[in-house]
Each structure stands twice: as C-alpha cells, then as structure tokens.
Amino acid sequence: MILRQPSSLLLCCLLVGVFVTFSNASQGDRLDEFKECVNVCKRENCAPGKTTEIPFLHMLLLWDCPAECDYTCQHIITNQRVANSQHIVQFHGKWPFYRLLGMQEPVSVLFSIFNFIAHQRGLHKLKAYIPPEYSMRKYYLIFSYCGMASWAFSIIFHTRDFALTEQLDYFAAGGSVLYGLYYAAVRIFRLDKLGSRKESVLRAWTSLCIILYCLHVGYLKTYKWNYSYNIAANVVLGVIQNMMWSVFSFNKYRASGMVWAMWPGFVVAWIMLAMGLEILDFPPFWGYFDAHSLWHLGTVGPTMLWYNFLVKDAQDDIAGQRFKA
C-alpha cells in the first residue's frame, strides 16, 4: 500500500503529484500589486538603519524582515482580492495560510504529527505482538522507523518551507516508498527464509535498492532538481508494490477466507477516496484547512489498519509454520 506508511499510503500521496503542478512561482508572485507591496515594505522596514521587531518564536523559525514582508503582503493582497470578489491565488506554490506560533502550515504540521504517532503506536504494536524470532519482524520495525522519519521531516517542512527542508521531506518520502517495495518483495517472495539461494537473492535485492536510492538522490542533488522525475519514480515504485500487495491479499483471502486478509484492499480504497482532496485542491478554509492538510488527516486511519494487518499476517504465518512443524 502507499506513501509515508503502508507503501500504498506512500504511493497515493505522491501519485497526487501527477495532477498538481509544483512551482516556485505562482500567479500571486506575478501580481504587480504584490511586488509593489513587498518592495514598499522592505524599503520602509528592512533597509539599513531601520529596526523592525520580530516576535521571538518567529525568529526561532528563521523569519527575517523580508520574509515577514512577504507574508504580510500575501494577506494584504488576498484580503483585497476577496473584498473585490476575485479568486484567491497562491504565492510561491502555496496558499496564503495564517501562521500559528510561527508555523507556516500549522494544520499540516498537526496532522503530520498524527501520522507520526500512528507509526509510533504501530511500532509498539509490532514489538508487543510479534515475537522477536519471527524473521519478518526486523523488516516491519524498520518500516516503522522509516515512517516516523518521513513524517518527522514532513513536520519540519510544513513548519518552515526552505529548500533544505523541502529536499529532506522529499528524500525521506522517496526512501519510504522504496523501502515499501523492498520489504513487500521480502515478505511476498519469502526472501527472509534461510537458504543459500534465497540469501543470495536477498543480498542482491538489498544492494539493488540501496544503489537505486543513492542514484535517485544523487541525480536530484547534483544534476537537476526535477519534480516530474521525482514524482514519476515514486509513482512507478508505488504502483508495483500496490499490485504486489493486492495480489498477495487476494490470494491469502481466497486461501483462508479471513476478512483481515482483505485489509490491504480496504487501505487502498480508503486512500484513493482521500486522494480526491489533493486533486480537487482548494484555498484553505479559515486560512488553515486546505486539501493537502486534510489529505494528511486522511492517511492516519489507513496507517493504523495497515499495522493491524502486519500483526495479523505475522501471527497467521507463525501459526502456519507451527502447524507444519
């Protein structure tokens, strides 16, 4: 399954990127009235010898005078457009959100925290209900750590959008997608089982995934920061693992008749419905709740369900191994 969680959750969040244009420039940036507002603000408040008091929390999050002018002018222009019955536009690729405690997108930060907690609770569940001797346990634990790391970088990015925080967010999400494919192959094809042939295949598969990730990051960092390529790469990996888990889930349900075996399908359906929020992007309600933040909220439930599936699948696998013994 997908993005920053079950590989399917990771996929769909990135799949949305196919429908969304990423850009450092937006319609709002090109408005003459916005440019003039920023220039006037900087001239009156940020010129040498001018003293502009910036709240302490804002300074901690690296808001400086020009950034404060940019933020203030975004809302001045937005209020003017609303008063004139004109549509709200984006600035620097983002809607004009209201800050909270210096955070640029406080609701996305909050819902990213929810997802982080979902992975953290999932980690505790894996440790509590899957015995240490189960061969897939270590792969599932790493999945939890990848999920927590990915959402931690999402929290940082939505708190303050810089080139560095954006790149860390993308690299963490991309790593989670690739790891989702990695452990899906290990579980489905039972590469975790001991045996000289499978051990060789596992080593080759592990090496291939590490090399692919290094090449991916190296290309984006040293050659070109290419949004289209980044999205395409993650979507391809996500689609592959989605198909793998879907076939695995169907076959397991057909063999066992257990409803929980179909949970991966429920997760995918849930995410596909939530994905409509991103496709139907809209300005934030009350200056805080936009489609992207609600998308983050929509991934919390599927994450918890996915961990339940991993535990059930592990317990069923262990019971089957004992029965055969």
Side-chain angles (χ1 to χ4, degrees), residues 4 22-24 92 94 153 156-158 160-173 225 227 230:
R4 299 186 201 272
F22 292 92
S23 175
N24 290 326
H92 314 300
K94 292 180 177 289
F153 284 118
I156 295 171
F157 172 60
H158 290 297
R160 278 296 273 131
D161 179 2
F162 295 113
L164 176 61
T165 58
E166 178 187 43
Q167 291 177 17
L168 291 174
D169 179 51
Y170 273 59
F171 292 151
W225 183 258
Y227 287 107
N230 183 64

Short mmCIF file of all heavy atoms in Angstrom, two decimals, residues 4 22-24 92 94 153 156-158 160-173 225 227 230:
data_model
loop_
_atom_site.label_atom_id
_atom_site.label_comp_id
_atom_site.label_asym_id
_atom_site.label_seq_id
_atom_site.Cartn_x
_atom_site.Cartn_y
_atom_site.Cartn_z
N ARG A 4 4.49 7.36 3.03
CA ARG A 4 4.87 7.61 4.40
C ARG A 4 4.25 6.59 5.33
O ARG A 4 4.07 6.85 6.48
CB ARG A 4 4.41 8.99 4.87
CG ARG A 4 5.02 10.12 4.09
CD ARG A 4 4.59 11.39 4.76
NE ARG A 4 4.67 12.50 3.90
CZ ARG A 4 5.73 13.23 3.73
NH1 ARG A 4 6.82 12.98 4.34
NH2 ARG A 4 5.71 14.25 2.93
N PHE A 22 4.04 21.65 -9.44
CA PHE A 22 4.91 22.23 -8.44
C PHE A 22 5.69 23.37 -9.07
O PHE A 22 6.22 23.24 -10.15
CB PHE A 22 5.90 21.17 -7.91
CG PHE A 22 5.23 20.10 -7.13
CD1 PHE A 22 4.79 18.93 -7.73
CD2 PHE A 22 5.04 20.26 -5.77
CE1 PHE A 22 4.20 17.94 -7.00
CE2 PHE A 22 4.44 19.26 -5.03
CZ PHE A 22 4.02 18.10 -5.65
N SER A 23 5.76 24.46 -8.36
CA SER A 23 6.49 25.59 -8.92
C SER A 23 6.88 26.54 -7.82
O SER A 23 6.17 26.70 -6.84
CB SER A 23 5.61 26.31 -9.95
OG SER A 23 6.25 27.46 -10.42
N ASN A 24 8.03 27.15 -7.98
CA ASN A 24 8.43 28.17 -7.04
C ASN A 24 7.73 29.49 -7.33
O ASN A 24 7.72 30.40 -6.52
CB ASN A 24 9.95 28.37 -7.10
CG ASN A 24 10.69 27.18 -6.52
OD1 ASN A 24 10.20 26.56 -5.58
ND2 ASN A 24 11.84 26.87 -7.07
N HIS A 92 4.27 31.57 -4.20
CA HIS A 92 5.41 30.65 -4.04
C HIS A 92 4.94 29.19 -3.99
O HIS A 92 5.49 28.38 -3.24
CB HIS A 92 6.21 30.99 -2.79
CG HIS A 92 6.51 32.44 -2.63
ND1 HIS A 92 7.24 33.16 -3.57
CD2 HIS A 92 6.17 33.33 -1.65
CE1 HIS A 92 7.34 34.41 -3.16
NE2 HIS A 92 6.69 34.54 -2.02
N LYS A 94 2.18 28.02 -2.79
CA LYS A 94 1.37 27.69 -1.62
C LYS A 94 0.22 28.67 -1.47
O LYS A 94 0.30 29.83 -1.91
CB LYS A 94 2.23 27.74 -0.33
CG LYS A 94 3.28 26.64 -0.23
CD LYS A 94 4.06 26.79 1.06
CE LYS A 94 5.08 25.67 1.23
NZ LYS A 94 4.42 24.39 1.53
N PHE A 153 10.17 14.66 9.00
CA PHE A 153 10.63 15.64 8.02
C PHE A 153 9.45 16.41 7.41
O PHE A 153 9.60 17.57 7.01
CB PHE A 153 11.45 14.96 6.93
CG PHE A 153 12.84 14.60 7.37
CD1 PHE A 153 13.25 13.28 7.41
CD2 PHE A 153 13.73 15.59 7.78
CE1 PHE A 153 14.54 12.95 7.84
CE2 PHE A 153 15.01 15.26 8.20
CZ PHE A 153 15.42 13.94 8.23
N ILE A 156 8.75 19.16 9.86
CA ILE A 156 9.73 20.24 9.71
C ILE A 156 9.45 21.08 8.48
O ILE A 156 9.48 22.32 8.52
CB ILE A 156 11.15 19.64 9.64
CG1 ILE A 156 11.51 18.97 10.97
CG2 ILE A 156 12.18 20.71 9.29
CD1 ILE A 156 12.79 18.17 10.92
N PHE A 157 9.15 20.43 7.36
CA PHE A 157 8.92 21.14 6.11
C PHE A 157 7.69 22.04 6.18
O PHE A 157 7.72 23.19 5.72
CB PHE A 157 8.75 20.12 4.98
CG PHE A 157 8.31 20.72 3.67
CD1 PHE A 157 9.07 21.69 3.03
CD2 PHE A 157 7.13 20.32 3.06
CE1 PHE A 157 8.67 22.25 1.83
CE2 PHE A 157 6.72 20.87 1.86
CZ PHE A 157 7.49 21.84 1.24
N HIS A 158 6.61 21.54 6.77
CA HIS A 158 5.40 22.36 6.86
C HIS A 158 5.51 23.43 7.93
O HIS A 158 4.75 24.40 7.92
CB HIS A 158 4.18 21.47 7.10
CG HIS A 158 3.80 20.63 5.93
ND1 HIS A 158 3.40 21.18 4.72
CD2 HIS A 158 3.77 19.29 5.74
CE1 HIS A 158 3.14 20.22 3.86
NE2 HIS A 158 3.35 19.06 4.45
N ARG A 160 8.44 25.22 8.37
CA ARG A 160 9.13 26.27 7.61
C ARG A 160 9.60 25.68 6.30
O ARG A 160 10.34 24.70 6.26
CB ARG A 160 10.33 26.82 8.39
CG ARG A 160 9.97 27.85 9.42
CD ARG A 160 9.37 29.14 8.85
NE ARG A 160 10.40 30.11 8.49
CZ ARG A 160 10.45 30.74 7.33
NH1 ARG A 160 9.58 30.49 6.39
NH2 ARG A 160 11.40 31.63 7.10
N ASP A 161 9.17 26.30 5.23
CA ASP A 161 9.48 25.84 3.88
C ASP A 161 10.75 26.51 3.38
O ASP A 161 10.75 27.68 2.99
CB ASP A 161 8.30 26.16 2.96
CG ASP A 161 8.54 25.74 1.52
OD1 ASP A 161 9.61 25.17 1.24
OD2 ASP A 161 7.66 25.98 0.67
N PHE A 162 11.85 25.77 3.43
CA PHE A 162 13.10 26.18 2.82
C PHE A 162 13.50 25.12 1.81
O PHE A 162 12.94 24.02 1.78
CB PHE A 162 14.22 26.30 3.87
CG PHE A 162 13.99 27.38 4.89
CD1 PHE A 162 13.77 27.05 6.22
CD2 PHE A 162 14.02 28.71 4.54
CE1 PHE A 162 13.57 28.04 7.18
CE2 PHE A 162 13.82 29.71 5.48
CZ PHE A 162 13.60 29.37 6.80
N ALA A 163 14.49 25.44 0.98
CA ALA A 163 14.96 24.45 0.01
C ALA A 163 15.45 23.19 0.72
O ALA A 163 15.17 22.07 0.29
CB ALA A 163 16.09 25.05 -0.84
N LEU A 164 16.16 23.36 1.84
CA LEU A 164 16.68 22.21 2.58
C LEU A 164 15.56 21.36 3.16
O LEU A 164 15.57 20.12 3.03
CB LEU A 164 17.61 22.67 3.69
CG LEU A 164 18.16 21.56 4.60
CD1 LEU A 164 18.98 20.56 3.80
CD2 LEU A 164 18.98 22.16 5.74
N THR A 165 14.58 21.99 3.82
CA THR A 165 13.51 21.21 4.44
C THR A 165 12.64 20.53 3.38
O THR A 165 12.14 19.42 3.60
CB THR A 165 12.62 22.11 5.33
OG1 THR A 165 12.06 23.19 4.54
CG2 THR A 165 13.44 22.72 6.46
N GLU A 166 12.49 21.17 2.22
CA GLU A 166 11.75 20.55 1.13
C GLU A 166 12.47 19.30 0.63
O GLU A 166 11.86 18.25 0.43
CB GLU A 166 11.56 21.54 -0.02
CG GLU A 166 10.82 20.94 -1.21
CD GLU A 166 10.80 21.88 -2.41
OE1 GLU A 166 11.84 22.49 -2.70
OE2 GLU A 166 9.73 21.98 -3.04
N GLN A 167 13.78 19.42 0.43
CA GLN A 167 14.55 18.29 -0.07
C GLN A 167 14.55 17.14 0.92
O GLN A 167 14.39 15.97 0.54
CB GLN A 167 15.97 18.74 -0.38
CG GLN A 167 16.07 19.67 -1.57
CD GLN A 167 17.50 20.15 -1.81
OE1 GLN A 167 18.45 19.58 -1.30
NE2 GLN A 167 17.64 21.23 -2.57
N LEU A 168 14.70 17.44 2.20
CA LEU A 168 14.68 16.38 3.21
C LEU A 168 13.32 15.68 3.25
O LEU A 168 13.25 14.46 3.40
CB LEU A 168 15.01 16.96 4.59
CG LEU A 168 16.46 17.44 4.78
CD1 LEU A 168 16.61 18.13 6.12
CD2 LEU A 168 17.43 16.27 4.66
N ASP A 169 12.27 16.45 3.10
CA ASP A 169 10.93 15.87 3.08
C ASP A 169 10.77 14.94 1.88
O ASP A 169 10.25 13.82 2.00
CB ASP A 169 9.88 17.00 3.02
CG ASP A 169 8.46 16.48 2.98
OD1 ASP A 169 8.12 15.64 3.83
OD2 ASP A 169 7.70 16.91 2.10
N TYR A 170 11.23 15.38 0.72
CA TYR A 170 11.10 14.56 -0.49
C TYR A 170 11.97 13.31 -0.42
O TYR A 170 11.55 12.22 -0.81
CB TYR A 170 11.48 15.39 -1.72
CG TYR A 170 10.32 16.16 -2.29
CD1 TYR A 170 9.63 17.08 -1.50
CD2 TYR A 170 9.90 15.97 -3.60
CE1 TYR A 170 8.56 17.78 -2.01
CE2 TYR A 170 8.81 16.68 -4.12
CZ TYR A 170 8.15 17.58 -3.32
OH TYR A 170 7.09 18.26 -3.83
N PHE A 171 13.20 13.46 0.07
CA PHE A 171 14.10 12.31 0.14
C PHE A 171 13.59 11.28 1.15
O PHE A 171 13.71 10.07 0.94
CB PHE A 171 15.51 12.75 0.50
CG PHE A 171 16.19 13.54 -0.57
CD1 PHE A 171 17.16 14.49 -0.26
CD2 PHE A 171 15.87 13.35 -1.91
CE1 PHE A 171 17.79 15.22 -1.25
CE2 PHE A 171 16.50 14.08 -2.91
CZ PHE A 171 17.46 15.02 -2.58
N ALA A 172 13.04 11.75 2.26
CA ALA A 172 12.50 10.83 3.26
C ALA A 172 11.28 10.10 2.71
O ALA A 172 11.13 8.88 2.90
CB ALA A 172 12.13 11.60 4.53
N ALA A 173 10.40 10.83 2.03
CA ALA A 173 9.22 10.19 1.44
C ALA A 173 9.63 9.19 0.37
O ALA A 173 9.10 8.08 0.30
CB ALA A 173 8.30 11.26 0.85
N TRP A 225 17.17 19.25 -9.94
CA TRP A 225 16.05 19.05 -9.02
C TRP A 225 14.77 19.01 -9.86
O TRP A 225 14.16 20.01 -10.16
CB TRP A 225 15.98 20.17 -7.99
CG TRP A 225 14.90 19.96 -6.98
CD1 TRP A 225 13.68 20.57 -6.93
CD2 TRP A 225 14.92 19.06 -5.87
NE1 TRP A 225 12.94 20.12 -5.88
CE2 TRP A 225 13.68 19.18 -5.20
CE3 TRP A 225 15.86 18.14 -5.38
CZ2 TRP A 225 13.36 18.43 -4.06
CZ3 TRP A 225 15.54 17.41 -4.25
CH2 TRP A 225 14.31 17.56 -3.61
N TYR A 227 11.07 17.88 -10.39
CA TYR A 227 9.84 17.45 -9.74
C TYR A 227 9.16 16.32 -10.51
O TYR A 227 8.68 15.35 -9.93
CB TYR A 227 8.87 18.62 -9.59
CG TYR A 227 9.26 19.62 -8.54
CD1 TYR A 227 9.76 20.87 -8.90
CD2 TYR A 227 9.13 19.34 -7.19
CE1 TYR A 227 10.12 21.80 -7.93
CE2 TYR A 227 9.48 20.26 -6.22
CZ TYR A 227 9.98 21.49 -6.59
OH TYR A 227 10.33 22.40 -5.64
N ASN A 230 10.96 13.04 -10.05
CA ASN A 230 10.79 12.56 -8.68
C ASN A 230 9.43 11.92 -8.48
O ASN A 230 9.31 10.83 -7.90
CB ASN A 230 10.97 13.73 -7.71
CG ASN A 230 10.89 13.28 -6.26
OD1 ASN A 230 11.71 12.52 -5.78
ND2 ASN A 230 9.88 13.76 -5.55
#
